[in-house]
Amino acid sequence: MRLRKRFIITCIILAGLFLSGVAMVFGVNGYVKAVGNAGLLTADEACNLEGVDCIIVLGCQVRDDGSLSHMLHDRLQVGVDLYDNGASPKLLMSGDHGREHYNEVGAMKQYALERSVPSENVFMDHAGFSTYETMYRAKEIFKAEKVVIVTQEYHLYRALYIARQFGLEAYGVAADVRTYSGQSMRDAREVLARCKDFAMCLFKPEPTYLGDPIPVSGNGDLTNDE
């Protein structure tokens, strides 16, 4: 009887801890989404903002043949459209260029050049390895203060939350141009990613790379590959 009682108590404690953990995860998820949601704008609203330092386009997969994934193509399409319509005079392409033969930001800048954006107006953050690192570096390296962020809506809440935790006046325009396969899995992972970055923003660890400032008000060609 005593052993059974201990077993029941242990199960109750474990169940309580599990439910508390679940409640915390969904509580943090809801909070991050609520903060991010406050910065969501339509493209027209973003183009009516004044004094935007840059449009930050967040990177994602570039295929082995160098072509853009659908999600990245749509982010770039929306970002360049915002640029063309006067939302900001500068674009900041942020993504993964941590390997010699994988270059998200190079492909992103090439897209902008093919859309007739002057090279000097396109900055590349070669060390935007995560959403957290992108926002940290946008503030500290590129010296941005007011930004418009472009990515798909599910990702935009977290990006806006992080940006605001770094003191950026941040707004976001969703790039959901089409339906993307595997979105249910991305939505599930994003709940955990929001919790992770909520914790990161509490402690604010430095990104993988910092370096000398390259103000986004200057010449984007300073960020070109050497």
Side-chain angles (χ1 to χ4, degrees):
M1 290 293 292
R2 185 175 298 175
L3 185 61
R4 183 181 177 186
K5 184 177 181 180
R6 287 179 180 175
F7 176 76
I8 292 172
I9 292 172
T10 300
C11 289
I12 292 171
I13 292 172
L14 291 175
L17 291 172
F18 173 77
L19 292 174
S20 297
V22 170
M24 183 177 294
V25 166
F26 282 97
V28 169
N29 176 66
Y31 176 69
V32 170
K33 283 192 70 175
V35 172
N37 186 64
L40 290 182
L41 299 178
T42 66
D44 288 341
E45 290 170 335
C47 291
N48 286 327
L49 295 171
E50 295 182 356
V52 176
D53 296 313
C54 64
I55 300 160
I56 302 176
V57 182
L58 298 179
C60 64
Q61 182 190 17
V62 172
R63 301 187 184 99
D64 291 341
D65 63 1
S67 63
L68 306 174
S69 61
H70 290 159
M71 295 185 81
L72 183 54
H73 175 276
D74 294 348
R75 294 178 191 185
L76 290 165
Q77 175 183 315
V78 171
V80 173
D81 284 348
L82 287 169
Y83 170 88
D84 287 340
N85 289 308
S88 175
K90 303 290 183 177
L91 285 159
L92 174 57
M93 308 300 193
S94 184
D96 184 352
H97 187 194
R99 291 164 283 166
E100 181 179 356
H101 301 294
Y102 184 76
N103 186 354
E104 288 179 1
V105 291
M108 294 166 76
K109 180 159 185 171
Q110 185 59 37
Y111 177 95
L113 297 181
E114 290 171 358
R115 287 278 304 269
S116 300
V117 180
S119 179
E120 62 267 24
N121 291 340
V122 185
F123 286 73
M124 293 186 288
D125 180 2
H126 298 267
F129 301 130
S130 68
T131 310
Y132 173 87
E133 292 187 273
T134 291
M135 300 310 158
Y136 196 124
R137 288 173 53 82
K139 178 75 171 180
E140 297 300 326
I141 299 298
F142 296 98
K143 300 300 179 182
E145 297 290 342
K146 185 174 182 177
V147 301
V148 172
I149 303 167
V150 177
T151 184
Q152 278 71 32
E153 185 174 333
Y154 83 96
H155 184 204
L156 199 49
Y157 301 112
R158 176 163 56 100
L160 287 166
Y161 176 82
I162 298 167
R164 293 188 169 196
Q165 294 306 301
F166 280 108
L168 290 164
E169 183 180 347
Y171 304 91
V173 176
D176 296 277
V177 175
R178 67 188 94 189
T179 300
Y180 307 99
S181 61
Q183 188 57 44
S184 296
M185 183 62 69
R186 280 189 289 272
D187 288 338
R189 289 199 304 265
E190 187 65 15
V191 172
L192 298 179
R194 289 174 190 141
C195 292
K196 173 184 69 72
D197 282 340
F198 175 83
M200 294 280 281
C201 288
L202 291 177
F203 300 101
K204 292 186 171 61
E206 288 190 357
T208 306
Y209 298 108
L210 278 174
D212 296 329
I214 309 172
V216 77
S217 57
N219 190 334
D221 287 335
L222 293 173
T223 64
N224 289 351
D225 292 307
E226 296 181 357

